[in-house]
Amino acid sequence: MPEAGAPPPTPPVPLTTLLADRELGLRRLAGPDASEGAAIRMVHTSEMADPFPYLLGGELLLSAGVLLDDADRYVARIVEAGAAALGFGVTPVHDTVPSALVEACDRRGLPLLEVPPRTTFTAVARAVWRLMAEARHHELQRVARAQQGLAAAAARPAPVPAVLRRLARYVRGSAVLLDGEGSVVHAAGPEPSGAAAAALSRLARVVGGPGPGPASATDQAGDDHVAAYPLGGGRGLVLAVAAPAREAGDHTIAGVAAVLLSLLTAPHLDTDVSARSGALVRLLLGAAPESAAPLLGGGPWTVLHARSADTTPFAAAALGAALGTTLLSLEDDGTVRLLLPGGREPSARPGWTLGASAPAAPEALQEADAQADRALRRAAATRSGLVRHREPGPLTPESARALLAPLADAPALVETLRTWLSVHGGWDRTAAALGIHRNTVRQRIARCASLLGADLDDVDVRMELWFALRQR
């Protein structure tokens, strides 16, 4: 099923690791053997008779059985909520773990752990968090080594097969490059089983289809975990991975490989890519547009500014690959500036805030860069994933009414906005003119911005609204 391109969750703690901690002294009394794969994703303590509404799944639920009356129903609700195990603290409520609870856990396959009197629930929780931190540290080290190895493979003479071979080694499975129809272009590692190959082909069509799609998709095919990642560049290529087990960090490692393969398989444009990159840099450094225009070609081009919580070079490269361009720069303030060929219309990307210029000829890229900057600020102000620059068109009474329609039932907001714009955004002057407190002015203007979906810090927006108000 498709999954969002979010960071991987904190690695779970195997139940066997928790039971091996001698300081805790936990003892398994019921349920399947801990070696069968049970894992703890969080710890939750509850003395509710029915903890179901407060469980998310994957918990080690700790309880002293204060309200334990019906053991079978209690365990059934815990299993229904998806809890990983139940830890039962003996004393002061119960001197021993109730036999009815042991039998219910055995019947329903829920691991039951006895927590001895000397071990506090806080100590159990701390142990789980410590083990999770250790697992995350190990995962980050593994991902860092994989990033270095994949980057080294990408620098080899035959980079695409080299990256696939390295990825297959890291995930201990198969790494396959597919086209949008699911046909194999390159492959590395053991050949996937028939069920896995069919699942990979199906996932390739899910993520590699036309238009914006999911950043990845996963499924289970027999004993194999399968995943697919679309490559940027507009060619419909997909990276597919099949492995018997999916370890912590595999999703991140495959994502790094997808970024590298996107860059390696991106189609070259009409002129040399390095020349175009150099021309873009010259323009951004203030060179005369006419000197760089011949290197860029005829255009049109769209300038895109982007921001995200993750502004590493890998994230910037992934964004460029998703949008089908290698012409990008990562600025000191974390903004990514990209140049999209052919006046291509960008699409919103999960986790990014984007501002796009109008399509422009090479000679007009500096103005387009300013347009993208303003559009990005509007996107941030309105919490939009993507804002495109638009030139204010001629206002008619009808278009003015449409623009101001969100304020039609709020004459106080309209009058406050009119006065605020007339004094060039002065809070005190607006308050004095209307005879209200300046904080009231701020609240009303913020409400206007929210209802209009507009960035009132943008001079073009203010001008358009001013003329619209004059038409009323």
Side-chain angles (χ1 to χ4, degrees), residues 100-116:
L101 184 64
V102 176
E103 294 170 2
C105 288
D106 262 333
R107 279 196 304 273
R108 299 189 179 274
L110 178 70
L112 173 62
L113 312 182
E114 179 189 69
V115 182

PDB file of all heavy atoms in Angstrom, residues 100-116:
ATOM      1  N   ALA A 100      -6.362 -16.501  35.761  1.00  0.00           N
ATOM      2  CA  ALA A 100      -7.304 -16.232  34.666  1.00  0.00           C
ATOM      3  C   ALA A 100      -6.674 -15.329  33.614  1.00  0.00           C
ATOM      4  O   ALA A 100      -6.933 -15.465  32.411  1.00  0.00           O
ATOM      5  CB  ALA A 100      -8.579 -15.582  35.218  1.00  0.00           C
ATOM      6  N   LEU A 101      -5.815 -14.412  34.052  1.00  0.00           N
ATOM      7  CA  LEU A 101      -5.141 -13.520  33.109  1.00  0.00           C
ATOM      8  C   LEU A 101      -4.119 -14.294  32.287  1.00  0.00           C
ATOM      9  O   LEU A 101      -3.990 -14.077  31.074  1.00  0.00           O
ATOM     10  CB  LEU A 101      -4.469 -12.378  33.868  1.00  0.00           C
ATOM     11  CG  LEU A 101      -3.801 -11.300  33.023  1.00  0.00           C
ATOM     12  CD1 LEU A 101      -4.843 -10.558  32.176  1.00  0.00           C
ATOM     13  CD2 LEU A 101      -3.040 -10.304  33.907  1.00  0.00           C
ATOM     14  N   VAL A 102      -3.401 -15.217  32.955  1.00  0.00           N
ATOM     15  CA  VAL A 102      -2.420 -16.046  32.233  1.00  0.00           C
ATOM     16  C   VAL A 102      -3.122 -16.872  31.163  1.00  0.00           C
ATOM     17  O   VAL A 102      -2.669 -16.964  30.019  1.00  0.00           O
ATOM     18  CB  VAL A 102      -1.657 -16.949  33.223  1.00  0.00           C
ATOM     19  CG1 VAL A 102      -0.702 -17.877  32.470  1.00  0.00           C
ATOM     20  CG2 VAL A 102      -0.889 -16.107  34.242  1.00  0.00           C
ATOM     21  N   GLU A 103      -4.244 -17.487  31.539  1.00  0.00           N
ATOM     22  CA  GLU A 103      -4.968 -18.332  30.580  1.00  0.00           C
ATOM     23  C   GLU A 103      -5.512 -17.500  29.425  1.00  0.00           C
ATOM     24  O   GLU A 103      -5.466 -17.930  28.258  1.00  0.00           O
ATOM     25  CB  GLU A 103      -6.110 -19.043  31.307  1.00  0.00           C
ATOM     26  CG  GLU A 103      -5.640 -20.041  32.349  1.00  0.00           C
ATOM     27  CD  GLU A 103      -6.780 -20.556  33.211  1.00  0.00           C
ATOM     28  OE1 GLU A 103      -7.938 -20.134  32.949  1.00  0.00           O
ATOM     29  OE2 GLU A 103      -6.530 -21.351  34.136  1.00  0.00           O
ATOM     30  N   ALA A 104      -6.044 -16.307  29.700  1.00  0.00           N
ATOM     31  CA  ALA A 104      -6.588 -15.461  28.636  1.00  0.00           C
ATOM     32  C   ALA A 104      -5.494 -15.027  27.668  1.00  0.00           C
ATOM     33  O   ALA A 104      -5.703 -14.998  26.454  1.00  0.00           O
ATOM     34  CB  ALA A 104      -7.265 -14.233  29.254  1.00  0.00           C
ATOM     35  N   CYS A 105      -4.315 -14.690  28.184  1.00  0.00           N
ATOM     36  CA  CYS A 105      -3.209 -14.281  27.304  1.00  0.00           C
ATOM     37  C   CYS A 105      -2.741 -15.442  26.446  1.00  0.00           C
ATOM     38  O   CYS A 105      -2.402 -15.268  25.265  1.00  0.00           O
ATOM     39  CB  CYS A 105      -2.061 -13.726  28.144  1.00  0.00           C
ATOM     40  SG  CYS A 105      -2.390 -12.095  28.861  1.00  0.00           S
ATOM     41  N   ASP A 106      -2.716 -16.642  27.027  1.00  0.00           N
ATOM     42  CA  ASP A 106      -2.325 -17.824  26.244  1.00  0.00           C
ATOM     43  C   ASP A 106      -3.329 -18.078  25.124  1.00  0.00           C
ATOM     44  O   ASP A 106      -2.946 -18.387  23.986  1.00  0.00           O
ATOM     45  CB  ASP A 106      -2.228 -19.049  27.162  1.00  0.00           C
ATOM     46  CG  ASP A 106      -0.793 -19.343  27.590  1.00  0.00           C
ATOM     47  OD1 ASP A 106       0.131 -18.987  26.833  1.00  0.00           O
ATOM     48  OD2 ASP A 106      -0.603 -19.895  28.678  1.00  0.00           O
ATOM     49  N   ARG A 107      -4.635 -17.962  25.448  1.00  0.00           N
ATOM     50  CA  ARG A 107      -5.663 -18.224  24.434  1.00  0.00           C
ATOM     51  C   ARG A 107      -5.574 -17.242  23.274  1.00  0.00           C
ATOM     52  O   ARG A 107      -5.787 -17.610  22.117  1.00  0.00           O
ATOM     53  CB  ARG A 107      -7.055 -18.145  25.067  1.00  0.00           C
ATOM     54  CG  ARG A 107      -7.501 -19.377  25.795  1.00  0.00           C
ATOM     55  CD  ARG A 107      -9.013 -19.362  26.036  1.00  0.00           C
ATOM     56  NE  ARG A 107      -9.444 -18.176  26.745  1.00  0.00           N
ATOM     57  CZ  ARG A 107      -9.471 -18.063  28.067  1.00  0.00           C
ATOM     58  NH1 ARG A 107      -9.069 -19.066  28.817  1.00  0.00           N
ATOM     59  NH2 ARG A 107      -9.896 -16.946  28.639  1.00  0.00           N
ATOM     60  N   ARG A 108      -5.284 -15.990  23.574  1.00  0.00           N
ATOM     61  CA  ARG A 108      -5.321 -14.944  22.548  1.00  0.00           C
ATOM     62  C   ARG A 108      -3.941 -14.578  22.001  1.00  0.00           C
ATOM     63  O   ARG A 108      -3.819 -13.657  21.195  1.00  0.00           O
ATOM     64  CB  ARG A 108      -6.023 -13.700  23.091  1.00  0.00           C
ATOM     65  CG  ARG A 108      -7.467 -13.985  23.485  1.00  0.00           C
ATOM     66  CD  ARG A 108      -8.234 -12.742  23.821  1.00  0.00           C
ATOM     67  NE  ARG A 108      -9.619 -13.046  24.176  1.00  0.00           N
ATOM     68  CZ  ARG A 108     -10.614 -13.179  23.314  1.00  0.00           C
ATOM     69  NH1 ARG A 108     -10.374 -13.037  22.017  1.00  0.00           N
ATOM     70  NH2 ARG A 108     -11.846 -13.452  23.723  1.00  0.00           N
ATOM     71  N   GLY A 109      -2.917 -15.291  22.433  1.00  0.00           N
ATOM     72  CA  GLY A 109      -1.590 -15.084  21.863  1.00  0.00           C
ATOM     73  C   GLY A 109      -0.946 -13.765  22.241  1.00  0.00           C
ATOM     74  O   GLY A 109      -0.166 -13.208  21.466  1.00  0.00           O
ATOM     75  N   LEU A 110      -1.258 -13.243  23.439  1.00  0.00           N
ATOM     76  CA  LEU A 110      -0.669 -11.992  23.898  1.00  0.00           C
ATOM     77  C   LEU A 110       0.459 -12.290  24.881  1.00  0.00           C
ATOM     78  O   LEU A 110       0.218 -12.916  25.928  1.00  0.00           O
ATOM     79  CB  LEU A 110      -1.724 -11.121  24.580  1.00  0.00           C
ATOM     80  CG  LEU A 110      -1.219  -9.786  25.150  1.00  0.00           C
ATOM     81  CD1 LEU A 110      -0.846  -8.835  24.014  1.00  0.00           C
ATOM     82  CD2 LEU A 110      -2.275  -9.147  26.049  1.00  0.00           C
ATOM     83  N   PRO A 111       1.698 -11.856  24.584  1.00  0.00           N
ATOM     84  CA  PRO A 111       2.781 -12.074  25.550  1.00  0.00           C
ATOM     85  C   PRO A 111       2.470 -11.392  26.878  1.00  0.00           C
ATOM     86  O   PRO A 111       2.112 -10.215  26.913  1.00  0.00           O
ATOM     87  CB  PRO A 111       4.000 -11.444  24.866  1.00  0.00           C
ATOM     88  CG  PRO A 111       3.675 -11.456  23.407  1.00  0.00           C
ATOM     89  CD  PRO A 111       2.190 -11.252  23.334  1.00  0.00           C
ATOM     90  N   LEU A 112       2.614 -12.132  27.974  1.00  0.00           N
ATOM     91  CA  LEU A 112       2.352 -11.612  29.319  1.00  0.00           C
ATOM     92  C   LEU A 112       3.645 -11.668  30.113  1.00  0.00           C
ATOM     93  O   LEU A 112       4.257 -12.746  30.241  1.00  0.00           O
ATOM     94  CB  LEU A 112       1.272 -12.443  30.011  1.00  0.00           C
ATOM     95  CG  LEU A 112       1.007 -12.114  31.489  1.00  0.00           C
ATOM     96  CD1 LEU A 112       0.508 -10.683  31.644  1.00  0.00           C
ATOM     97  CD2 LEU A 112       0.013 -13.113  32.087  1.00  0.00           C
ATOM     98  N   LEU A 113       4.068 -10.521  30.637  1.00  0.00           N
ATOM     99  CA  LEU A 113       5.309 -10.434  31.395  1.00  0.00           C
ATOM    100  C   LEU A 113       4.985 -10.129  32.854  1.00  0.00           C
ATOM    101  O   LEU A 113       4.155  -9.262  33.146  1.00  0.00           O
ATOM    102  CB  LEU A 113       6.212  -9.325  30.841  1.00  0.00           C
ATOM    103  CG  LEU A 113       6.441  -9.271  29.334  1.00  0.00           C
ATOM    104  CD1 LEU A 113       7.388  -8.135  28.989  1.00  0.00           C
ATOM    105  CD2 LEU A 113       6.955 -10.589  28.803  1.00  0.00           C
ATOM    106  N   GLU A 114       5.662 -10.823  33.742  1.00  0.00           N
ATOM    107  CA  GLU A 114       5.544 -10.514  35.165  1.00  0.00           C
ATOM    108  C   GLU A 114       6.590  -9.470  35.522  1.00  0.00           C
ATOM    109  O   GLU A 114       7.784  -9.647  35.257  1.00  0.00           O
ATOM    110  CB  GLU A 114       5.760 -11.774  36.005  1.00  0.00           C
ATOM    111  CG  GLU A 114       5.674 -11.528  37.507  1.00  0.00           C
ATOM    112  CD  GLU A 114       6.093 -12.728  38.313  1.00  0.00           C
ATOM    113  OE1 GLU A 114       7.307 -13.065  38.297  1.00  0.00           O
ATOM    114  OE2 GLU A 114       5.219 -13.348  38.951  1.00  0.00           O
ATOM    115  N   VAL A 115       6.140  -8.369  36.123  1.00  0.00           N
ATOM    116  CA  VAL A 115       7.045  -7.318  36.581  1.00  0.00           C
ATOM    117  C   VAL A 115       7.219  -7.501  38.084  1.00  0.00           C
ATOM    118  O   VAL A 115       6.247  -7.344  38.848  1.00  0.00           O
ATOM    119  CB  VAL A 115       6.474  -5.915  36.271  1.00  0.00           C
ATOM    120  CG1 VAL A 115       7.467  -4.839  36.708  1.00  0.00           C
ATOM    121  CG2 VAL A 115       6.158  -5.780  34.786  1.00  0.00           C
ATOM    122  N   PRO A 116       8.430  -7.835  38.555  1.00  0.00           N
ATOM    123  CA  PRO A 116       8.615  -8.124  39.985  1.00  0.00           C
ATOM    124  C   PRO A 116       8.446  -6.872  40.835  1.00  0.00           C
ATOM    125  O   PRO A 116       8.565  -5.750  40.343  1.00  0.00           O
ATOM    126  CB  PRO A 116      10.052  -8.654  40.052  1.00  0.00           C
ATOM    127  CG  PRO A 116      10.736  -8.062  38.860  1.00  0.00           C
ATOM    128  CD  PRO A 116       9.677  -7.975  37.804  1.00  0.00           C
TER     129      PRO A 116
END
